[in-house]
Amino acid sequence: MNFLTAVSRQMTRFTALIVVLASIIAFIEPATFSWVKGDTQVVVLGIIMLGMGMTLGKEDYQILAQRPLDIFIGAIAQYTIMPLLAIGIARAFDLSPGLTLGLVLVGTCPGGVSSNIMSFLAKGDVAFSVGMTTVSTVLAPVMTPLWMTYLVGQTVEMDGWGMFKFMLLVTLLPVVIGSAANILLHKKHWFEDVRAIMPAVAVIAFACIVGGVAAVHGHRFAESAFVMVLAIAAHNIGGYILGYYSGALTGMNTAKKRTLAIEVGVQNAGLATGLSAKFFPGNAESAVAAAVACVWHSVSGTVLGNLFAWWDKRKQ
């Protein structure tokens, strides 16, 4: 079991590499990941969120209760900066309707499940990171459909109520189940073993979702690759900068500012990919954009975390 736990830690560290490898394999041999679609994709998404829920215990909810102002500021930043920045960049770059849809969908999703690890690497405030991820995920079933309806509902046919119900089922319910299990069973040795390997399971599930999109829509990537990556990078980096300075404006210390930068900038693009495939199956560009964002956010967030740590060492 110690071996599996060690493997799980390493897989979490190299999430970006594993996701990139899955994408490459899907391009070369689509049949490897073409099964990740429809109901199967929904189950895979649920597994990722269950894994996140299993990391949440009583102490995490105590943090939320003790630091309401920090969490409130973080939630406001999360659900204003990224949605508005996404639609602004889409218009500035004159993106196609499909790419606009994908970028806005990424921007309206909650914080990424790997952001807590990135905050740790950055020597940020990990408890604050966990609190922000939890709250943004809990709010997602309401905020994501509302923002999507407001920002793109006029140009793309969408079922906001259906998205709300789907997100309750796929995001909130697994998180609640995982968290309840953690609170009730955390002293059980077998549960500790299961919880220890769940990060690796989540990474594999994450890679499967991206691989599934690459397998089905990968051939479309070259059609708008440059502008797509440029827009995703601008959105992500803009989130880091505006998140950091949101913390500065509200008087947060360095650790909190770094955490806010990462929490705002790194989105749950895996969820966006699943939502795109579920609610916009005829819009391949949006799914491809969300899948590319999965890879970009994983890589850039890890790089940013390491850069913050390097900066601290440099000053010593």
Side-chain angles (χ1 to χ4, degrees):
M1 201 63 214
N2 288 337
F3 171 74
L4 290 176
T5 301
V7 169
S8 181
R9 287 200 196 98
Q10 293 304 313
M11 289 183 70
T12 304
R13 284 184 61 200
F14 295 103
T15 298
L17 178 60
I18 292 168
V19 170
V20 170
L21 286 175
S23 304
I24 293 170
I25 292 168
F27 277 123
I28 297 171
E29 188 53 61
T32 310
F33 289 100
S34 58
W35 54 274
V36 190
K37 57 185 178 182
D39 291 340
T40 303
Q41 191 176 59
V42 173
V43 172
V44 173
L45 273 172
I47 289 170
I48 294 173
M49 302 314 293
L50 178 68
M52 177 188 161
M54 289 173 68
T55 67
L56 301 176
K58 287 181 180 178
E59 62 280 1
D60 298 304
Y61 297 107
Q62 288 168 352
I63 289 167
L64 298 184
Q66 292 165 1
R67 302 169 66 176
L69 181 60
D70 287 347
I71 301 297
F72 177 75
I73 291 169
I76 293 293
Q78 176 87 49
Y79 278 117
T80 54
I81 290 172
M82 294 307 273
L84 295 174
L85 189 59
I87 196 68
I89 287 172
R91 289 173 179 169
F93 282 66
D94 194 24
L95 298 183
S96 67
L99 291 183
T100 297
L101 176 62
L103 192 66
V104 172
L105 192 51
V106 169
T108 58
C109 275
V113 292
S114 58
S115 59
N116 309 141
I117 300 158
M118 296 167 185
S119 291
F120 174 76
L121 292 175
K123 299 189 185 314
D125 188 328
V126 178
F128 180 31
S129 176
V130 171
M132 269 196 69
T133 304
T134 304
V135 169
S136 68
T137 301
V138 170
L139 292 174
V142 174
M143 297 304 298
T144 300
L146 279 179
W147 268 121
M148 288 297 294
T149 302
Y150 177 71
L151 294 175
V152 298
Q154 310 303 316
T155 56
V156 177
E157 185 178 341
M158 65 167 289
D159 179 7
W161 176 243
M163 186 179 287
F164 169 75
K165 292 188 291 185
F166 176 80
M167 292 186 72
L168 280 180
L169 178 66
V170 176
T171 61
L172 200 54
L173 183 60
V175 168
V176 170
I177 291 172
S179 181
N182 189 27
I183 291 169
L184 295 172
L185 303 171
H186 68 280
K187 293 183 179 178
K188 304 287 186 182
H189 183 69
W190 64 267
F191 184 79
E192 287 182 6
D193 291 342
V194 172
R195 187 176 57 189
I197 64 171
M198 279 305 291
V201 174
V203 170
I204 293 169
F206 192 35
C208 284
I209 287 177
V210 178
V213 172
V216 177
H217 302 299
H219 61 287
R220 298 177 183 270
F221 175 76
E223 294 174 9
S224 50
F226 178 72
V227 70
M228 182 197 308
V229 172
L230 200 59
I232 288 167
H235 184 230
N236 175 232
I237 294 168
Y240 291 146
I241 295 169
L242 293 175
Y244 188 90
Y245 284 103
S246 294
L249 284 171
T250 52
M252 292 185 177
N253 62 28
T254 299
K256 288 181 183 178
K257 286 186 288 188
R258 291 179 178 183
T259 295
L260 194 54
I262 289 170
E263 284 295 328
V264 171
V266 177
Q267 301 293 92
N268 191 340
L271 175 60
T273 306
L275 289 174
S276 179
K278 174 71 176 176
F279 288 94
F280 310 104
N283 205 320
E285 274 189 316
S286 68
V288 174
V292 172
C294 279
V295 179
W296 180 273
H297 285 218
S298 297
V299 173
S300 73
T302 305
V303 169
L304 180 62
N306 285 319
L307 281 174
F308 278 136
W310 170 81
W311 182 257
D312 287 345
K313 286 182 181 178
R314 182 176 171 273
K315 292 195 299 182
Q316 289 174 358

Short mmCIF file of all heavy atoms in Angstrom, two decimals, residues 123-156:
data_model
loop_
_atom_site.label_atom_id
_atom_site.label_comp_id
_atom_site.label_asym_id
_atom_site.label_seq_id
_atom_site.Cartn_x
_atom_site.Cartn_y
_atom_site.Cartn_z
N LYS A 123 4.18 27.69 -2.07
CA LYS A 123 4.27 28.14 -0.69
C LYS A 123 3.15 29.13 -0.37
O LYS A 123 3.35 30.17 0.28
CB LYS A 123 5.65 28.76 -0.39
CG LYS A 123 6.81 27.78 -0.58
CD LYS A 123 8.10 28.35 -0.08
CE LYS A 123 9.29 27.46 -0.37
NZ LYS A 123 9.11 26.04 -0.06
N GLY A 124 1.97 28.81 -0.90
CA GLY A 124 0.80 29.63 -0.65
C GLY A 124 0.08 29.17 0.60
O GLY A 124 0.61 28.39 1.40
N ASP A 125 -1.14 29.65 0.78
CA ASP A 125 -1.98 29.30 1.92
C ASP A 125 -2.86 28.14 1.50
O ASP A 125 -3.92 28.34 0.89
CB ASP A 125 -2.81 30.52 2.33
CG ASP A 125 -3.58 30.31 3.62
OD1 ASP A 125 -3.97 29.16 3.90
OD2 ASP A 125 -3.80 31.29 4.35
N VAL A 126 -2.44 26.92 1.81
CA VAL A 126 -3.12 25.72 1.32
C VAL A 126 -4.54 25.61 1.89
O VAL A 126 -5.47 25.21 1.18
CB VAL A 126 -2.30 24.45 1.62
CG1 VAL A 126 -3.04 23.20 1.14
CG2 VAL A 126 -0.94 24.52 0.94
N ALA A 127 -4.72 25.97 3.15
CA ALA A 127 -6.05 25.91 3.75
C ALA A 127 -7.01 26.86 3.02
O ALA A 127 -8.17 26.52 2.75
CB ALA A 127 -5.98 26.29 5.23
N PHE A 128 -6.52 28.04 2.67
CA PHE A 128 -7.31 29.00 1.89
C PHE A 128 -7.64 28.41 0.52
O PHE A 128 -8.77 28.55 0.02
CB PHE A 128 -6.51 30.29 1.77
CG PHE A 128 -7.18 31.40 0.99
CD1 PHE A 128 -8.56 31.55 0.98
CD2 PHE A 128 -6.41 32.31 0.28
CE1 PHE A 128 -9.17 32.59 0.28
CE2 PHE A 128 -6.99 33.35 -0.42
CZ PHE A 128 -8.38 33.48 -0.43
N SER A 129 -6.67 27.74 -0.08
CA SER A 129 -6.87 27.12 -1.39
C SER A 129 -7.97 26.06 -1.34
O SER A 129 -8.86 26.02 -2.19
CB SER A 129 -5.56 26.48 -1.87
OG SER A 129 -5.74 25.79 -3.08
N VAL A 130 -7.90 25.20 -0.33
CA VAL A 130 -8.92 24.15 -0.17
C VAL A 130 -10.30 24.78 0.03
O VAL A 130 -11.29 24.35 -0.56
CB VAL A 130 -8.57 23.22 1.02
CG1 VAL A 130 -9.73 22.27 1.32
CG2 VAL A 130 -7.30 22.43 0.71
N GLY A 131 -10.35 25.83 0.86
CA GLY A 131 -11.62 26.51 1.11
C GLY A 131 -12.20 27.12 -0.15
O GLY A 131 -13.40 26.99 -0.42
N MET A 132 -11.35 27.76 -0.95
CA MET A 132 -11.83 28.38 -2.19
C MET A 132 -12.32 27.34 -3.18
O MET A 132 -13.36 27.50 -3.84
CB MET A 132 -10.71 29.20 -2.83
CG MET A 132 -10.70 30.65 -2.40
SD MET A 132 -9.67 31.67 -3.50
CE MET A 132 -10.64 31.65 -5.00
N THR A 133 -11.56 26.25 -3.33
CA THR A 133 -11.96 25.19 -4.26
C THR A 133 -13.30 24.60 -3.84
O THR A 133 -14.18 24.35 -4.67
CB THR A 133 -10.90 24.07 -4.32
OG1 THR A 133 -9.64 24.64 -4.67
CG2 THR A 133 -11.27 23.02 -5.35
N THR A 134 -13.46 24.39 -2.54
CA THR A 134 -14.71 23.82 -2.02
C THR A 134 -15.89 24.73 -2.32
O THR A 134 -16.92 24.29 -2.85
CB THR A 134 -14.61 23.60 -0.50
OG1 THR A 134 -13.47 22.77 -0.22
CG2 THR A 134 -15.86 22.93 0.04
N VAL A 135 -15.74 26.01 -1.97
CA VAL A 135 -16.85 26.95 -2.16
C VAL A 135 -17.17 27.15 -3.64
O VAL A 135 -18.35 27.18 -4.03
CB VAL A 135 -16.53 28.30 -1.48
CG1 VAL A 135 -17.53 29.37 -1.88
CG2 VAL A 135 -16.54 28.12 0.03
N SER A 136 -16.15 27.28 -4.48
CA SER A 136 -16.42 27.49 -5.91
C SER A 136 -17.10 26.27 -6.52
O SER A 136 -17.96 26.39 -7.40
CB SER A 136 -15.12 27.81 -6.67
OG SER A 136 -14.25 26.71 -6.71
N THR A 137 -16.76 25.07 -6.02
CA THR A 137 -17.41 23.86 -6.52
C THR A 137 -18.86 23.79 -6.07
O THR A 137 -19.75 23.42 -6.83
CB THR A 137 -16.64 22.61 -6.04
OG1 THR A 137 -15.29 22.68 -6.51
CG2 THR A 137 -17.29 21.33 -6.56
N VAL A 138 -19.11 24.16 -4.80
CA VAL A 138 -20.48 24.16 -4.28
C VAL A 138 -21.35 25.17 -5.03
O VAL A 138 -22.53 24.93 -5.30
CB VAL A 138 -20.47 24.46 -2.77
CG1 VAL A 138 -21.88 24.71 -2.25
CG2 VAL A 138 -19.84 23.30 -2.00
N LEU A 139 -20.77 26.32 -5.39
CA LEU A 139 -21.51 27.35 -6.10
C LEU A 139 -21.68 27.06 -7.59
O LEU A 139 -22.56 27.64 -8.24
CB LEU A 139 -20.80 28.71 -5.94
CG LEU A 139 -20.78 29.33 -4.55
CD1 LEU A 139 -19.92 30.60 -4.56
CD2 LEU A 139 -22.20 29.67 -4.10
N ALA A 140 -20.85 26.18 -8.11
CA ALA A 140 -20.81 25.94 -9.56
C ALA A 140 -22.16 25.57 -10.18
O ALA A 140 -22.48 26.08 -11.27
CB ALA A 140 -19.77 24.87 -9.89
N PRO A 141 -22.97 24.70 -9.56
CA PRO A 141 -24.24 24.35 -10.21
C PRO A 141 -25.16 25.55 -10.46
O PRO A 141 -26.00 25.52 -11.35
CB PRO A 141 -24.89 23.38 -9.21
CG PRO A 141 -23.74 22.77 -8.50
CD PRO A 141 -22.73 23.88 -8.36
N VAL A 142 -24.97 26.61 -9.68
CA VAL A 142 -25.76 27.83 -9.88
C VAL A 142 -25.02 28.82 -10.78
O VAL A 142 -25.56 29.33 -11.77
CB VAL A 142 -26.08 28.51 -8.54
CG1 VAL A 142 -26.78 29.85 -8.76
CG2 VAL A 142 -26.95 27.60 -7.67
N MET A 143 -23.74 29.08 -10.46
CA MET A 143 -23.00 30.13 -11.14
C MET A 143 -22.67 29.79 -12.59
O MET A 143 -22.76 30.66 -13.48
CB MET A 143 -21.70 30.44 -10.38
CG MET A 143 -21.92 30.98 -8.97
SD MET A 143 -22.97 32.45 -8.92
CE MET A 143 -21.99 33.61 -9.86
N THR A 144 -22.28 28.55 -12.86
CA THR A 144 -21.90 28.20 -14.24
C THR A 144 -23.08 28.33 -15.21
O THR A 144 -22.94 29.01 -16.25
CB THR A 144 -21.29 26.78 -14.29
OG1 THR A 144 -20.13 26.74 -13.45
CG2 THR A 144 -20.89 26.40 -15.71
N PRO A 145 -24.24 27.74 -14.93
CA PRO A 145 -25.37 27.92 -15.86
C PRO A 145 -25.81 29.38 -15.99
O PRO A 145 -26.16 29.83 -17.09
CB PRO A 145 -26.49 27.07 -15.24
CG PRO A 145 -25.79 26.08 -14.38
CD PRO A 145 -24.58 26.79 -13.86
N LEU A 146 -25.78 30.14 -14.88
CA LEU A 146 -26.19 31.54 -14.94
C LEU A 146 -25.27 32.36 -15.84
O LEU A 146 -25.73 33.12 -16.71
CB LEU A 146 -26.20 32.15 -13.53
CG LEU A 146 -27.43 31.87 -12.65
CD1 LEU A 146 -27.24 32.52 -11.29
CD2 LEU A 146 -28.71 32.40 -13.31
N TRP A 147 -23.96 32.21 -15.64
CA TRP A 147 -23.00 32.95 -16.46
C TRP A 147 -23.08 32.52 -17.92
O TRP A 147 -23.00 33.36 -18.83
CB TRP A 147 -21.57 32.75 -15.94
CG TRP A 147 -21.10 33.77 -14.96
CD1 TRP A 147 -20.66 33.55 -13.68
CD2 TRP A 147 -20.98 35.18 -15.15
NE1 TRP A 147 -20.30 34.72 -13.07
CE2 TRP A 147 -20.48 35.75 -13.95
CE3 TRP A 147 -21.26 36.04 -16.22
CZ2 TRP A 147 -20.24 37.10 -13.80
CZ3 TRP A 147 -21.02 37.40 -16.07
CH2 TRP A 147 -20.52 37.92 -14.88
N MET A 148 -23.21 31.21 -18.16
CA MET A 148 -23.29 30.72 -19.53
C MET A 148 -24.52 31.29 -20.24
O MET A 148 -24.46 31.71 -21.40
CB MET A 148 -23.33 29.19 -19.55
CG MET A 148 -22.02 28.53 -19.21
SD MET A 148 -20.71 28.91 -20.40
CE MET A 148 -21.34 28.09 -21.86
N THR A 149 -25.65 31.30 -19.55
CA THR A 149 -26.88 31.83 -20.13
C THR A 149 -26.72 33.32 -20.44
O THR A 149 -27.13 33.79 -21.50
CB THR A 149 -28.06 31.61 -19.18
OG1 THR A 149 -28.20 30.21 -18.91
CG2 THR A 149 -29.36 32.13 -19.78
N TYR A 150 -26.10 34.05 -19.52
CA TYR A 150 -25.95 35.50 -19.69
C TYR A 150 -24.94 35.84 -20.79
O TYR A 150 -25.18 36.74 -21.61
CB TYR A 150 -25.52 36.13 -18.37
CG TYR A 150 -25.26 37.61 -18.47
CD1 TYR A 150 -26.32 38.51 -18.64
CD2 TYR A 150 -23.96 38.11 -18.39
CE1 TYR A 150 -26.09 39.88 -18.73
CE2 TYR A 150 -23.72 39.47 -18.48
CZ TYR A 150 -24.78 40.36 -18.66
OH TYR A 150 -24.54 41.70 -18.76
N LEU A 151 -23.80 35.13 -20.82
CA LEU A 151 -22.71 35.50 -21.72
C LEU A 151 -22.86 34.94 -23.14
O LEU A 151 -22.48 35.60 -24.10
CB LEU A 151 -21.36 35.07 -21.13
CG LEU A 151 -20.93 35.77 -19.84
CD1 LEU A 151 -19.66 35.16 -19.30
CD2 LEU A 151 -20.75 37.27 -20.07
N VAL A 152 -23.36 33.72 -23.27
CA VAL A 152 -23.45 33.12 -24.61
C VAL A 152 -24.84 32.57 -24.94
O VAL A 152 -25.05 32.03 -26.02
CB VAL A 152 -22.40 31.99 -24.80
CG1 VAL A 152 -20.99 32.52 -24.69
CG2 VAL A 152 -22.62 30.86 -23.81
N GLY A 153 -25.77 32.69 -23.99
CA GLY A 153 -27.10 32.13 -24.21
C GLY A 153 -27.86 32.73 -25.37
O GLY A 153 -28.79 32.14 -25.90
N GLN A 154 -27.45 33.95 -25.79
CA GLN A 154 -28.12 34.61 -26.90
C GLN A 154 -27.67 34.05 -28.24
O GLN A 154 -28.38 34.14 -29.24
CB GLN A 154 -27.85 36.12 -26.88
CG GLN A 154 -28.09 36.79 -25.54
CD GLN A 154 -29.50 36.58 -25.02
OE1 GLN A 154 -30.45 36.71 -25.78
NE2 GLN A 154 -29.64 36.24 -23.75
N THR A 155 -26.45 33.49 -28.27
CA THR A 155 -25.89 33.02 -29.54
C THR A 155 -25.83 31.51 -29.66
O THR A 155 -25.70 30.98 -30.75
CB THR A 155 -24.46 33.58 -29.73
OG1 THR A 155 -23.66 33.21 -28.60
CG2 THR A 155 -24.48 35.09 -29.85
N VAL A 156 -25.92 30.82 -28.55
CA VAL A 156 -25.85 29.35 -28.56
C VAL A 156 -27.05 28.79 -27.81
O VAL A 156 -27.35 29.22 -26.70
CB VAL A 156 -24.54 28.85 -27.87
CG1 VAL A 156 -24.52 27.33 -27.83
CG2 VAL A 156 -23.32 29.39 -28.59
#
